[in-house]
């Protein structure tokens, strides 16, 4: 096939159109415009390859597009990968699947976008399944004989030979393929996010603490549980209702069950009055017991799921039915958002919780496409609903795909491995996704604390008690630790919010994997002084291809540029931490560390190891019971760490509406200088000398640790 | 698409041709002829459906052929499924894959053939991937509103709704689809096997004990290990050599490493002299270090694996190169067979151990097809090599597909879950496959004994010590138990061999899952008195869709019609056993049981629960150090169990050649009658009054348990 020309679609973004791309893709569905303003301000990027080094071949299974790969480069991304960070040597079969228990590439959010640590990225914008062979295939002509070793005698034998190309299988119909330039990995991801419209800025309340109540709770039980949060002095902003609020589920009605919620509006308003937002669980499959059913039936797919209709929301008529019903019965009475469940479907542990790939939809879309973008459809429809009311929303979704950075949705999973949940914080950052390592029941108090510590340093801090009824005080012996971390999150809200604003405006995610801030060469240097990896051992019971595993540092991450979080999981009382160069302090221990090294940390149950970069200025606020409403002014604290001058950023706006789109927002820079006597001084400068909407500003200088109280 | 007519391809076998089936399919590759003689003798079968109830639709992903399904029928088969027996409600994605760790349908041997307990089967003969939705999809028009339950309040809610059709996704190019009639499930499988040429009859030595030595053993070490078997009085017939016999591996040379095996022929002959056959490990990928490489290079696929060529053996020239090399360097010097490893490839734990689906081969076959039938290719090539020398072979293979019943190969896996290994004994019986639950290192002596007990009641009793160097006496405290079961297998050889002959002639597998001998109604009746299943519990940490699991009885199986084996695994000291109706005895305990019930059995480590059907007559022989060569006559023992008259069958031939194809074989019937005094009498009747080739015949009547000694 003749290769079309690559064209520059935006600064540092190149596009190749292969075949005849389909009408509905993540990018067209989202309808977003590239943030060319922000893209133009980035450092200039050169194409990462000579275009002629990219090959296009035809196969029965689709177009095979291949890119060169050097001997040592690492590849990241491909969406919400739970089982691995560096994709080099692996094939990613990027199908939406709710049970990513094996490392095939399938996941809730399989974005066909990978980034290289050499500073470029490749994205296929399609609603079909893409397979990316990330250096897991080797052609005859690329096979280096000298690399072939004798496993019998040569200890250098590798289970996975080093390949020299990435081979991408693109759907037979064709697709648009994008290459994003750097120069750094962070720039690549930023370009991808900006090209897709920039990152999301949640409402401030969305960054408070979330609690989902047991599925069959009624009005009184929910109100009582909310009250207990205040009584226990544990901040909480959002109460989530689970399937029991529907009059029938599964499949669902989207209508309130009147025996449990006789007056939904009064109920929602009462919670709101007490400082709680309401989030409603739903899934895509429409019950015959709802008014919508007969209208949606002709607009739905050939197959039912749990007996419910799977509507074709690419049809404007179906969209309108869904939006109107949701607007009238939920949004207008004050509901703040949704948890969009089961729009992924499982083909691993069970195969009947999704329509098949061959299902047919009235618009002509088939089951494969619909499943790949079903999560995006619900995100966009609900987002539009709130946007049209100039009201921000924030919620949860179980399936996503490319071009999702603008969406106010955070991914979650029914899986529950804490290490995987931490890795997902890292991996989601490469592909314009947000992820919550939600907490459910725990094995014991230690497991409970470790999970709660992690979730408080994520995009959405939530306890999901839908099935087990746990509460933050369920393990009384550690209630104090839990309270401490939920309050710490609340105190950090100005910092978190500012980092989300950076996501929106510059495409740099608030939670970032280590490759965003440290290069492969720097990692190698830091590791040189660290503990050895374990050697491989031949093992005939658990797997015959044992090999030395390189440490991926997929168990620690940055929150903004100032904080490094290195969680512990149950059973761990110490761990290695990769510290980038510079001076760091233990955020709550005050211990001083020299970075550019791997350090060994011990931590009691009271502590999650968090490190703050010397010279940072972190904006903070008091640990209120809930995030203040727009217009409520609270005290701002600007905490400067270390013994040298430094600076930090603060973003602010009303926190609830889209008025920032009209410029009603501002950035402030907190600058700390030191005079000749060694005294520190702080200065907050902002747009036109305006001050942010806080009622006082307290500076703290030269801190080595955060003081326990917010005041 | 217009539905072609179904035509009767053989008695009780109907075929539908969809589209333009591809040239190479499992059936065409095998080149076998249906055993119309045996098929004609089966009871007449009616088509199981009205043909017009079968629907054919077109989709992008292929032809969707769908068959009706009743409310309660169960579906089995789909090849070597390790994780599940009843496929109802599941989708089977039938791709060859060496890491079937999740229940997707992928496996070493994904045969697109399923059987219903209503007495019919459906097979798609193709070299491409087939997806079978076994009642895991539900169309709008088939959705029964009354079946839709409210999970909120209705305890009868099911995670998997009951569907009314099987939907099969057939490759876009088309394929031949076969329906096999019954009337019983056993008849269905028998028809499938007979249509594919009948089951395999291994050489007698293949049913002895097998031992694979550590990969880097040299000539002296192998001979010494063989000697120790005799010294320890543990029967052994086959010594397997692992990668270390190749001069280079991986990829492989197929040439002897002279530093370890300076005189291969002398070495093989010396083992043969001591009663051992030699089996050689190999894999498909050809090293540059072998003479074959330059000749095979132009005949190989676009991609290499471990740096080795993947030859296109659909080309006669490539076949000839492989066969000639193997003949000259292995078969002619006395090697008895092969272990064909890694012809499956993994896309789960690692993705680079196989060429990709888009790989291109010189004949025009692509990587998907080649991978689906690579295992069949090696089986057939090596089988032909031995058949042309009128010498039977028996070996191991890690990948297979449809139409493989005639092949002298037994499947195995690098996985190692004992329960799954037992289930695979059951499941392989539905699809014309054989399976060995091979033993490697064990966690402890108990695990070791339990695994050894199981493997001695399988198609190939093997200890695979390639990586860990274990021996049957590695756990001295239980060496006696191990010896006992290896000897018991040897004693049962005439019975096992006769059951393989039944496989060959009537297509009834020697090892059979319970549905071969007990109907769903009988199981339900037997279970009615048994222990309750555990109720479902909502569980938010391990999976939110908990449901009551029906017992599948996939942990016990029949060996022939007389023996029922119900293994225990480590940690189990008791278990439930589903006993079909009739009277049964504990084979080694002599305890008497009334069948048609679920019984609870306790067993010490010395015992694997095996039950013998009252009235059986089991042909046995002494526990010799190895299977006697053709022409060596040993004592035959005919053991009759129970207090009523009965009968049993004995098959015999030279045990080594294909002369049985010319009729040089015979069946004997052992009939036990009882006279008016209650005395039992035995009579062995055979072809033309001829006697089988044993040197004496000893009858034992009215036994309730097997005596410890073979004499």
């Amino acid at each position: 096939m003749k290769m079309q020309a690559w064209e520059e679609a935006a600064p540092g973004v190149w596009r190749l159109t292969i075949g005849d791309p389909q009408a509905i893709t993540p990018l067209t569905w989202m309808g977003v415009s590239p943030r060319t303003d922000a893209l133009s301000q980035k450092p200039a990027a050169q194409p990462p390859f000579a275009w002629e080094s990219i090959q296009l071949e035809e196969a029965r299974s689709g177009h095979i597009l291949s890119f060169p790969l050097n001997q040592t480069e690492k590849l990241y991304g491909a969406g919400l990968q739970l089982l691995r960070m560096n994709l080099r040597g692996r094939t990613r079969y990027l199908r939406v699947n709710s049970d990513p228990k094996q490392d095939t590439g399938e996941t809730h959010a399989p974005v066909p976008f990978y980034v290289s640590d050499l500073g470029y990225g490749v994205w296929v914008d399609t609603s079909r399944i893409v397979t990316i062979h990330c250096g897991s295939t080797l052609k005859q002509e690329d096979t280096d004989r000298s690399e072939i070793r004798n496993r019998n005698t040569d200890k250098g034998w590798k289970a996975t030979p080093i390949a020299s190309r990435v081979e991408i299988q693109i759907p037979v119909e064709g697709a648009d393929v994008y290459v994003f330039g750097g120069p750094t990995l962070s720039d690549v991801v930023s370009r991808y996010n900006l090209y897709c419209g920039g990152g999301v800025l949640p409402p401030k309340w969305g960054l408070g603490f979330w609690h989902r109540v047991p599925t069959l709770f009624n009005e009184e039980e929910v109100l009582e549980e909310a009250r207990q949060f205040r009584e226990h002095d544990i901040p909480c902003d959002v109460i989530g209702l689970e399937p029991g609020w529907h009059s029938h589920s599964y499949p669902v009605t989207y209508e309130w069950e009147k025996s449990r919620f006789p007056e939904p509006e009064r109920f929602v308003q009462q919670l709101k009055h007490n400082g709680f937002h309401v989030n409603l669980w739903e899934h895509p499959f429409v019950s015959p017991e709802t008014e919508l059913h007969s209208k949606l039936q002709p607009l739905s797919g050939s197959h039912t799921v749990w007996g419910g209709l799977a509507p074709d929301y690419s049809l404007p008529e179906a969209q309108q039915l869904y939006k109107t019903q949701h607007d009238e019965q939920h949004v207008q009475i004050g509901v703040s958002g949704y948890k969009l469940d089961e729009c992924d479907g499982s083909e691993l542990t069970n195969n009947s919780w999704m329509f098949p790939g061959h299902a047919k939809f009235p618009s002509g879309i088939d089951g494969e496409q619909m499943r790949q973008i079903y999560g995006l459809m619900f995100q966009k429809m609900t987002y539009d609903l709130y946007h049209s009311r100039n009201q921000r929303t924030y919620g949860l979704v179980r399936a996503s795909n490319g071009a999702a950075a603008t969406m106010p949705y955070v991914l979650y999973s029914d899986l529950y491995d804490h290490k995987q949940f931490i890795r997902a914080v890292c991996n989601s950052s490469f592909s314009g996704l947000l992820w919550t390592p939600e907490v459910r029941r725990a094995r014991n108090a230690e497991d409970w604390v470790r999970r709660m510590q992690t979730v408080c340093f994520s995009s959405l801090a939530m306890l999901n008690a839908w099935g087990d009824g746990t509460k933050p005080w369920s393990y009384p012996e550690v209630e104090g630790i839990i309270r401490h971390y939920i309050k710490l999150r609340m105190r950090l809200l100005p910092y978190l919010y500012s980092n989300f604003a950076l996501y929106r405006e510059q495409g740099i995610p608030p939670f970032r994997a280590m490759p965003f801030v440290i290069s492969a060469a720097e990692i190698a240097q830091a590791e040189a002084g660290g503990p050895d990896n374990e050697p491989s051992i031949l093992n005939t019971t658990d797997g015959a291809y044992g090999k030395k595993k390189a440490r991926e540092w997929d168990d620690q991450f940055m929150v903004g540029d100032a904080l490094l979080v290195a969680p512990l999981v149950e059973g761990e009382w110490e761990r290695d931490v990769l510290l980038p160069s510079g001076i760091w302090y233990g955020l709550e221990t005050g211990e001083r560390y020299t970075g550019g090294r791997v350090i060994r940390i011990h931590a009691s149950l009271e502590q999650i190891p968090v490190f703050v970069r010397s010279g940072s200025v972190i904006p903070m606020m008091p640990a209120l019971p809930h995030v203040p409403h727009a217009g409520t002014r609270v005290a701002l604290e600007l905490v400067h760490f270390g013994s040298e001058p430094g600076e930090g950023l603060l973003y602010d706006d009303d926190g609830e509406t889209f008025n920032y789109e009209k410029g009603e927002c501002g950035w402030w820079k907190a600058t700390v200088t030191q005079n000749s006597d060694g005294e520190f001084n702080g200065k907050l400068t902002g747009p036109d000398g305006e001050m942010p909407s806080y009622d006082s500003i307290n500076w703290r200088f030269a801190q080595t640790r955060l003081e326990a109280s917010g005041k």
Side-chain angles (χ1 to χ4, degrees), chain A:
Chain A
M1 184 183 186
K2 203 182 161 319
M3 174 89 80
Q4 302 291 314
W6 288 86
E7 51 173 342
E8 189 158 14
V13 182
W14 297 271
R15 179 174 52 219
L16 173 71
T17 300
I18 295 174
D20 187 17
Q22 310 209 287
I24 293 196
T25 70
L27 198 56
T28 64
W29 176 257
M30 284 299 154
V32 285
S33 305
R35 298 283 297 267
T36 40
D37 52 338
L39 282 165
S40 315
Q41 286 166 31
K42 295 197 71 69
Q46 296 305 312
F49 326 95
W51 297 123
E52 55 277 16
S53 69
I54 299 168
Q55 297 171 359
L56 184 64
E57 285 180 79
E58 298 309 303
R60 171 187 182 271
S61 48
H63 311 267
I64 307 298
L65 186 68
S66 84
F67 293 88
L69 201 54
N70 86 7
Q71 283 277 306
T72 57
E73 79 182 282
K74 293 178 177 175
L75 306 176
Y76 302 107
L80 183 79
Q81 298 293 323
L82 288 167
L83 294 158
R84 166 174 301 269
M85 192 157 94
N86 178 11
L87 308 176
R88 184 71 192 258
R90 315 295 297 192
T91 294
R92 297 292 87 178
Y93 173 61
L94 295 171
R95 182 168 69 161
V96 170
N97 199 320
S98 70
D99 275 303
K101 289 182 187 164
Q102 273 198 301
D103 194 23
T104 61
E106 295 174 82
T107 149
H108 303 280
V111 186
F113 172 57
Y114 67 88
V115 292
S116 162
D117 65 350
L118 296 187
Y120 68 88
V122 177
W123 179 40
V124 185
D125 177 35
T126 176
S127 59
R128 293 206 174 275
I129 295 166
V130 169
T131 300
I132 306 182
H133 301 275
C134 302
S136 56
T137 55
L138 194 51
K139 292 181 119 178
Q140 267 205 47
E141 62 264 34
D142 298 327
T143 303
D144 178 357
R145 281 198 181 200
S146 69
E147 278 296 310
I148 303 174
R149 309 289 189 87
N150 188 352
R151 189 183 183 184
N152 289 338
T153 50
D154 187 340
K155 297 281 176 205
W157 181 84
K158 290 190 195 75
T160 302
I162 294 173
S164 52
R165 299 192 79 81
V166 170
E167 293 195 290
I168 308 180
Q169 183 178 310
I170 286 164
V172 287
E173 295 85 351
D176 283 335
V177 181
Y178 293 87
V179 166
F180 296 89
T184 69
L185 181 144
S186 179
D187 291 319
V188 175
V189 173
S190 148
R191 277 184 212 274
Y192 167 80
N193 288 332
L194 290 171
Y195 191 79
C196 297
V200 62
L201 179 63
K204 282 185 183 170
W205 57 259
L207 301 178
F209 190 75
W210 292 51
H211 179 71
R212 309 198 74 85
V213 299
T215 181
L216 293 180
F217 261 28
N218 63 23
E219 186 183 285
E220 290 78 30
E221 290 167 311
V222 177
L223 291 167
E224 170 57 20
E225 186 129 315
R227 197 190 59 73
Q228 287 185 27
F229 269 84
R230 303 298 183 237
E231 191 175 293
H232 280 269
D233 186 25
I234 288 183
C236 185
D237 271 274
V238 186
I239 293 288
L241 305 185
E242 290 284 321
W245 77 267
H246 290 263
S247 61
H248 196 291
S249 166
Y250 312 170
V252 299
T253 56
Y254 306 127
E255 294 168 3
W256 291 86
E257 167 55 40
K258 289 297 168 64
S259 72
R260 286 188 284 276
F261 298 94
E263 289 182 68
E265 182 163 9
R266 185 179 50 80
F267 164 75
V268 171
Q269 290 304 325
Q270 188 166 343
L271 276 174
K272 186 156 280 184
H273 179 76
N274 297 335
F276 294 96
H277 290 76
V278 173
N279 177 285
L280 297 182
W281 173 97
E282 66 170 50
H283 79 183
F285 308 110
V286 178
S287 166
E289 306 296 323
T290 177
E291 274 188 28
L292 278 175
H293 190 271
S294 58
K295 296 174 201 154
L296 283 173
Q297 188 153 30
L299 310 174
S300 292
S302 54
H303 288 69
T304 57
V305 181
W306 282 300
L309 297 174
D312 182 347
Y313 289 118
S314 74
L315 302 170
E317 197 185 339
Q319 275 178 49
Q320 203 47 57
L321 286 165
Y322 173 93
K323 283 185 183 173
T324 303
Q325 193 275 346
H326 278 52
D327 194 32
E328 289 173 357
Q329 300 195 27
H330 318 148
V331 183
Q332 285 183 23
I333 68 169
V335 167
S336 295
Y338 296 95
K339 172 182 172 183
L340 306 168
D341 204 22
E342 292 160 342
C343 40
D344 41 18
S346 163
E347 295 224 9
L348 296 180
T349 60
N350 194 295
N351 302 280
S352 53
W353 302 336
M354 184 45 72
F355 40 78
H358 63 263
K360 290 174 183 174
F361 288 84
S363 65
I365 284 181
D366 68 20
E368 176 193 325
Q369 291 168 289
M370 190 61 90
R371 180 167 170 183
Q372 290 292 100
I373 61 169
Y374 225 30
L376 291 183
M377 286 186 164
F378 288 94
Q379 290 180 63
K380 183 63 163 46
M381 287 194 296
T382 50
Y383 169 79
D384 284 351
L385 198 52
Y386 282 97
H387 193 269
S388 69
R389 302 172 62 91
N390 193 27
Q391 182 185 339
R392 276 184 253 172
T393 182
Y394 200 48
L396 297 123
V397 68
R398 220 174 70 183
S400 198
N401 205 316
T406 57
M407 289 294 102
Y409 281 99
V410 179
L411 289 156
Y412 64 100
S413 177
D414 276 3
L415 302 182
Y416 201 46
D417 182 283
H418 191 182
K419 284 261 187 198
Q420 289 177 18
F421 274 29
I422 298 165
R423 186 180 296 116
V425 174
C426 303
N427 284 348
S428 56
S429 67
F430 295 112
S431 308
L433 303 172
L434 300 175
W435 160 260
T436 173
E438 67 167 41
V439 181
R440 302 194 294 267
R441 188 167 56 192
R443 276 189 292 262
N444 49 48
E446 183 195 344
D447 183 32
W448 176 252
V449 167
R450 292 310 189 192
R451 291 177 180 274
M452 276 288 192
Q453 288 169 335
T454 302
V455 85
C456 284
F457 289 94
S458 77
S459 297
L460 197 151
M462 183 170 76
L463 171 56
N464 179 10
W466 81 280
D468 53 49
T470 45
K471 306 167 208 319
W473 49 92
S474 282
Y475 297 81
E477 66 272 39
V478 293
E479 182 182 338
I481 308 177
I482 305 301
R483 181 180 299 107
H484 171 78
Y485 281 101
I486 296 177
K487 287 193 168 186
L488 178 56
R489 179 181 178 87
M490 185 63 92
R491 291 174 65 195
L492 286 169
L493 191 125
Y495 178 70
L496 294 175
Y497 193 63
S498 301
N499 273 292
F500 270 99
L502 207 65
Y503 186 33
R504 174 177 143 69
E505 298 194 6
Q506 296 185 29
I508 298 171
F511 299 85
R512 302 164 204 163
M514 296 313 293
F516 278 82
V517 295
I518 181 165
S519 71
E522 289 165 328
I523 294 175
Q525 203 172 2
E527 281 177 336
D532 264 350
N533 291 312
E534 284 169 36
S536 64
I537 292 166
L538 192 57
N539 179 333
T540 64
T541 52
D542 306 320
Y545 305 90
K547 55 174 175 169
K548 202 165 164 171
K549 251 195 176 172
R551 179 98 200 222
E552 293 193 7
W553 304 108
D554 52 358
D555 55 357
Q556 60 176 67
F557 51 87
M558 302 296 299
V559 183
D561 199 44
L563 299 180
L564 187 159
V565 180
L568 291 168
V569 304
E570 186 202 353
E572 283 182 357
W573 300 94
E574 52 180 330
R575 58 162 292 168
D576 290 342
V577 179
L578 171 68
L579 270 192
S581 57
I583 300 300
W584 297 81
Y585 295 93
L587 182 68
E588 301 198 84
T589 65
E591 202 157 332
R592 185 176 185 278
Y593 301 93
T594 303
R597 291 190 305 131
V598 174
I599 59 169
R600 188 91 188 154
I601 287 293
H602 299 254
S604 67
L605 191 58
E606 287 70 26
Q607 298 171 340
I608 174 173
V610 178
F611 304 85
V612 56
R613 196 191 292 270
S614 181
S616 305
V617 181
I618 299 199
M620 300 184 68
M621 62 171 249
L624 304 173
H626 61 88
V627 174
H629 298 298
T632 312
R633 286 174 174 262
V634 299
L636 177 68
E637 196 171 17
L638 292 166
V639 188
H640 162 249
F641 288 88
S643 51
E644 70 252 66
E647 60 182 43
L649 286 173
L650 173 69
Y651 169 89
D652 206 24
D653 62 15
D654 67 28
E656 293 178 0
T657 74
F658 290 95
N659 292 349
Y660 62 75
E661 292 177 345
K662 298 178 287 184
E664 296 182 15
C665 60
W667 282 95
W668 285 263
K669 184 188 264 188
T671 310
V672 173
T673 53
Q674 199 171 15
N675 67 18
S676 54
D677 296 336
E679 280 173 352
F680 286 103
N681 270 293
K683 194 176 159 195
L684 193 65
T685 52
D688 306 323
E690 225 180 282
M691 290 309 282
S693 55
Y694 288 87
D695 73 353
S696 65
I697 298 176
N698 309 313
W699 289 88
R700 306 185 80 88
F701 298 112
Q703 304 293 297
T704 56
R705 60 185 291 273
L706 205 57
E707 286 187 17
S709 152
K711 280 287 174 189

